[in-house]
């Protein structure tokens, strides 16, 4: 690691496993010139208070890995992720698996801990909420540091293969059925054009029906806002309903 341009540029000469998120880099702007001497790098924890009251003088930076795509799955499938396939895990390490609503959201209240203390995670009967990002966090002992510290992580992505259907077990005809907005035999499902076949609820006469993949929506006339289904509001509060 080197610092140049009077402290305005930081260069990582080599990236280590523990340089990645959720570990953070930070730079602080100070009004005085710091002493010209080497200082040791110290661990820094982002507290709840600092998350709610961010400093205007301290800026945080993160490095994140590209996600590892596990494969394409349908709802109802089973997916297994074995961490030793992607990372060497020591016997003394501790692994925590976290579901992230999107990348780099370990500080987000919506994160969910899926499992702890295991090197493999298996999700049976995938639901819609199971697709997306899962992060494995590895903690282990380090010299002269009490307790385990973060040493490595891997980010995985479970991709939804087909939004048209759901299969329970194998993808055979008797185990699959089409999702709402699609029609077929369960194995082969195609989009229903609700604008042509009739909709659960009709758009307003002045609104336009727009077919989507598995759904539809109603578009208000130009200059009007609203859902086009129940109401459209125009300039001056003019309302169509």
């Amino acid at each position: 690691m080197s610092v140049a341009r009077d402290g305005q540029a930081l260069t990582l000469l080599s990236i280590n496993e523990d340089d990645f998120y959720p570990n953070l880099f930070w730079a602080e702007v100070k009004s005085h010139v710091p002493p010209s001497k080497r200082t040791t790098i110290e661990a820094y924890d982002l507290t709840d208070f600092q998350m709610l009251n961010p400093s205007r003088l301290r800026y945080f930076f993160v490095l994140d890995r590209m996600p590892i795509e596990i494969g394409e799955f349908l709802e109802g499938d089973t997916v297994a992720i074995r961490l030793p396939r992607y990372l060497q895990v020591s016997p003394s390490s501790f692994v925590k698996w976290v579901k992230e609503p999107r990348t780099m959201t370990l500080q987000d209240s919506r994160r969910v801990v899926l499992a702890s203390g295991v090197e493999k995670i298996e999700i049976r009967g995938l639901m819609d909420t199971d697709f997306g990002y899962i992060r494995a966090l590895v903690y282990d002992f380090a010299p002269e540091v009490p307790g385990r510290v973060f040493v490595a992580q891997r980010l995985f992505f479970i991709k939804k293969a087909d939004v048209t259907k759901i299969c329970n077990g194998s993808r055979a005809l008797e185990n699959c059925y089409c999702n709402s907005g699609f029609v077929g035999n369960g194995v082969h499902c195609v989009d229903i054009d609700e604008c042509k076949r009739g909709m659960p609820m009709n758009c307003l006469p002045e609104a336009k029906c727009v077919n989507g993949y598995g759904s539809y929506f109603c578009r208000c006339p130009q200059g009007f806002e609203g859902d086009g289904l129940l109401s459209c509001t125009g300039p001056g509060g003019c309302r169509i309903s």
Side-chain angles (χ1 to χ4, degrees), residues 21-237:
Y21 181 83
N23 279 352
L24 309 174
F25 294 90
W26 59 270
E28 188 168 9
V29 180
K30 293 187 176 181
S31 58
H32 63 280
V33 179
S36 57
K37 64 178 183 180
R38 291 180 176 271
T39 58
T40 58
I41 299 177
E42 298 179 356
Y44 181 83
D45 291 326
L46 192 62
T47 64
D48 292 339
F49 176 82
Q50 289 165 323
M51 291 173 61
L52 297 174
N53 302 273
S55 169
R56 295 184 178 181
L57 301 178
R58 180 169 289 178
Y59 299 87
F60 293 89
F61 306 89
V62 297
L63 296 177
D64 203 3
R65 288 182 175 275
M66 293 295 292
I68 301 170
E69 190 170 307
I70 299 301
E72 295 186 350
F73 299 88
L74 293 174
E75 289 189 37
D77 283 349
T78 297
V79 59
I81 306 175
R82 297 171 177 81
L83 187 58
R85 288 185 55 188
Y86 309 93
L87 175 69
Q88 184 175 355
V89 182
S90 72
S92 62
S93 62
F94 179 86
V95 182
K96 180 166 69 173
W97 299 85
V98 180
K99 178 73 173 69
E100 298 187 32
R102 58 187 184 280
T103 57
M104 295 192 296
T105 54
L106 289 180
Q107 307 290 350
D108 196 308
S109 60
R110 291 172 293 173
R111 70 190 188 278
V112 178
V113 177
L114 301 176
S116 295
V118 292
E119 298 178 358
K120 170 190 171 182
I121 187 171
E122 185 176 275
I123 305 175
R124 296 177 179 270
L126 282 172
M127 298 185 295
D128 183 65
T129 54
D130 293 323
F131 293 94
Y133 297 98
I134 293 178
R135 194 183 299 269
L137 303 167
V138 183
Y139 301 85
D140 207 346
F141 297 103
E144 301 180 2
V145 178
R148 292 185 176 94
V149 295
F150 170 75
V151 295
Q153 59 91 8
R154 288 295 184 273
L155 180 65
F156 300 95
F157 182 68
I158 303 175
K159 185 177 181 180
K160 196 168 187 178
D162 191 343
V163 299
T164 68
K165 60 190 176 185
I166 294 177
C167 294
N168 297 313
S170 65
R171 301 180 189 182
L173 186 64
E174 62 272 13
N175 296 327
C176 299
Y177 61 91
C178 297
N179 281 323
S180 175
F182 299 91
V183 64
N185 61 7
V187 174
H188 302 287
C189 304
V190 296
D191 175 53
I192 298 174
D193 189 342
E194 290 89 351
C195 298
K196 293 182 178 179
R197 297 188 53 172
M199 300 163 289
M201 295 183 67
N202 291 323
C203 298
L204 294 171
E206 297 82 358
K208 179 182 179 181
C209 176
V210 181
N211 185 56
Y213 194 56
S215 63
Y216 73 96
F217 67 94
C218 302
R219 179 180 291 157
C220 290
Q222 186 173 359
F224 287 75
E225 296 181 352
D227 58 16
L229 192 65
L230 300 176
S231 66
C232 293
T233 305

Side-chain angles (χ1 to χ4, degrees), residues 1 11-16 19:
M1 182 184 299
T11 301
L12 298 179
L13 302 177
S14 63
I15 299 177
N16 300 316
D19 288 332

